[in-house]
Amino acid sequence: MSDKPISPPIWILIAATATGPLALNIFVPSMPGLVHVFDTDYATIQLTLTLYLVGVALAQLAYGPLSDRFGRRPAMLYGLAIYAAASLLCAVAWSVETLIVGRILQAIGGCAGMVLGRAIVRDVYERDRAASAIALITMAMAVAPAIAPTLGGYLETGFGWHATFLAPMVMGLIVLAASFRGLNETNLTPIPRIDVLAMLRHYGELLRSRAFIGYAGNSAMSVGAFFAFLAGAPYVVIEILHRPPGEYGLYFVLISVGYMVGNFGASRLSQRLGVDRMIPLGVASSTVGGLISAGFLLADVITPASVFLPMMLVAVGNGLSQPNSIAGAISVNPRIAGAASGLMGFGQMTVGALFTVIVGHLQNDHDHAAMAGMILFSCVASYLFYRLAKSDRTAS
């Protein structure tokens, strides 16, 4: 056996990463109608989103260590199989309880690509080259949420709510088949055994590392800015500015474009400049966007442009820094890269969920102060976490 793993086709990792974000958002246009389909209330239907996020957060803690022990390939294949089967269960759900269970299972399967794609890249490449590859993979996490609601709207209109689950099922089966044929094992040094205590030890080892906390914290705070925007922007645009939901969807494309521009820059520059130069560059762009947003707020300027254009700068910065902070975090101890990827993903989802709650609680009915404040806080906090990582001289 070769002592260096063979790199799998990057498109498989991109497609696998996109499955989770696609399923998260594709059925959103169907949610109001599901209230009547299942004769329930909107709060109950909302659980199909909330518990999906909880499922993604918790499952990421398991995928990493399991793939460190049994390999990336089997963990990916089982995850995609669960995703496809759960999507089918959602499509044929006979009660809202069945739908909620299906969504949780869909989340558990869908997050496999999110965790394992990063770990596979780290198996194959050194840290700075890994950041370039991760930039391409994480682009899927910008594209999928951007197109999913539009695709879901067309499917809902043309074929009904069942189609918004059948489409992810088909995608899951395609990616599963491609992975079965083209995804080779990249974890050539699996850990000898795994148990709960071993998992806790690995997580404890990572949590004692200032480098891991710094890089993972930088990533989580960047994600927090995005979730703060998701929590506040729809209310500001639709309820305060009285613009139609479709217009919000069009403006949101700017955010996805910004993130993709940043990802493209990271894919081109990370190997040349290195992780520890790219992260400050991204944080600087995000902070400028956060300051401009706060400036508009202080000037009492509230328009779609004043909401979305500064966030586009934040998104460019996140696109530059995210792949590099991820590469830095999972490079702290490459032997448990899967555990690092899972723990980092758990932190991202937890911080993101927390920020949505904070913005939702603080949102008023006349401006975007809560959203702008949390975005600026995220930018400053992401820089402080990066400084913590830099202070650890053991970081490579």
Side-chain angles (χ1 to χ4, degrees), residues 199-253:
M199 291 173 61
L200 293 177
R201 283 197 299 272
H202 293 151
Y203 289 140
E205 180 180 344
L206 291 167
L207 291 173
R208 288 192 296 272
S209 166
R210 284 184 299 170
F212 177 80
I213 292 295
Y215 287 125
N218 174 271
S219 175
M221 287 298 164
S222 297
V223 169
F226 179 70
F227 274 89
F229 183 81
L230 286 184
Y235 183 88
V236 173
V237 172
I238 297 170
E239 299 296 331
I240 296 178
L241 297 178
H242 305 294
R243 303 299 177 95
E247 189 172 335
Y248 168 80
L250 291 175
Y251 286 126
F252 191 83
V253 173

Side-chain angles (χ1 to χ4, degrees), residues 57-313:
L58 294 177
Q60 290 190 80
L61 294 177
Y63 272 114
L66 287 173
S67 73
D68 288 336
R69 170 63 183 91
F70 298 106
R72 316 297 187 211
R73 175 182 160 85
M76 181 75 85
L77 294 179
Y78 278 113
L80 290 170
I82 293 171
Y83 176 82
S87 298
L88 178 60
L89 176 61
C90 291
V92 300
W94 53 90
S95 67
V96 69
E97 291 81 10
T98 307
L99 181 63
I100 290 172
V101 170
R103 285 287 287 173
I104 294 171
L105 292 174
Q106 195 182 39
I108 291 171
C111 79
M114 298 164 62
V115 176
L116 300 174
R118 298 185 296 235
I120 289 169
V121 165
R122 187 58 188 89
D123 290 338
V124 175
Y125 301 118
E126 295 302 318
R127 187 176 75 157
D128 292 338
R129 177 67 182 88
S132 297
I134 288 172
L136 295 175
I137 292 173
T138 55
M139 200 178 297
M141 299 183 71
V143 175
I147 66 173
T150 302
L151 176 60
Y154 283 122
L155 291 173
E156 162 73 18
T157 301
F159 305 99
W161 68 271
H162 305 278
T164 62
F165 294 110
L166 291 175
M169 181 196 73
V170 171
M171 180 179 179
L173 290 174
I174 292 173
V175 179
L176 176 61
S179 299
F180 187 81
R181 295 193 60 184
L183 182 63
N184 50 283
E185 183 54 64
T186 60
N187 180 12
L188 303 185
T189 56
I191 58 178
R193 66 186 184 89
I194 190 169
D195 54 36
V196 174
L197 292 178
M199 291 173 61
L200 293 177
R201 283 197 299 272
H202 293 151
Y203 289 140
E205 180 180 344
L206 291 167
L207 291 173
R208 288 192 296 272
S209 166
R210 284 184 299 170
F212 177 80
I213 292 295
Y215 287 125
N218 174 271
S219 175
M221 287 298 164
S222 297
V223 169
F226 179 70
F227 274 89
F229 183 81
L230 286 184
Y235 183 88
V236 173
V237 172
I238 297 170
E239 299 296 331
I240 296 178
L241 297 178
H242 305 294
R243 303 299 177 95
E247 189 172 335
Y248 168 80
L250 291 175
Y251 286 126
F252 191 83
V253 173
L254 293 173
I255 310 306
S256 298
V257 169
Y259 191 76
M260 286 187 284
V261 167
N263 274 166
F264 180 76
S267 71
R268 303 285 292 180
L269 298 174
S270 294
Q271 190 172 5
R272 186 192 317 166
L273 299 181
V275 164
D276 291 319
R277 291 182 180 178
M278 289 298 297
I279 293 177
L281 184 63
V283 170
S285 175
S286 295
T287 303
V288 169
L291 288 171
I292 292 174
S293 179
F296 278 130
L297 175 68
L298 293 175
D300 197 27
V301 176
I302 307 173
T303 67
S306 72
V307 171
F308 282 89
L309 291 180
M311 187 60 197
M312 188 177 182
L313 272 180

Side-chain angles (χ1 to χ4, degrees), residues 127 206-222 275-276 279 283 321-322 324-330 332 343-344 378 380-392 395:
R127 187 176 75 157
L206 291 167
L207 291 173
R208 288 192 296 272
S209 166
R210 284 184 299 170
F212 177 80
I213 292 295
Y215 287 125
N218 174 271
S219 175
M221 287 298 164
S222 297
V275 164
D276 291 319
I279 293 177
V283 170
S321 64
Q322 273 284 331
N324 289 279
S325 57
I326 291 171
I330 62 180
V332 170
L343 185 58
M344 180 184 57
S378 299
V380 174
S382 68
Y383 177 74
L384 295 177
F385 273 110
Y386 168 68
R387 295 305 305 172
L388 176 64
K390 279 286 289 180
S391 73
D392 191 336

Side-chain angles (χ1 to χ4, degrees), residues 300-373:
D300 197 27
V301 176
I302 307 173
T303 67
S306 72
V307 171
F308 282 89
L309 291 180
M311 187 60 197
M312 188 177 182
L313 272 180
V314 176
V316 171
N318 285 359
L320 290 169
S321 64
Q322 273 284 331
N324 289 279
S325 57
I326 291 171
I330 62 180
S331 298
V332 170
N333 187 342
R335 192 160 182 265
I336 54 173
S341 180
L343 185 58
M344 180 184 57
F346 174 81
Q348 289 175 334
M349 298 305 295
T350 301
V351 169
L354 177 62
F355 277 32
T356 62
V357 172
I358 292 174
V359 172
H361 180 72
L362 298 179
Q363 178 64 53
N364 58 45
D365 59 359
H366 58 272
D367 63 30
H368 58 294
M371 180 182 73

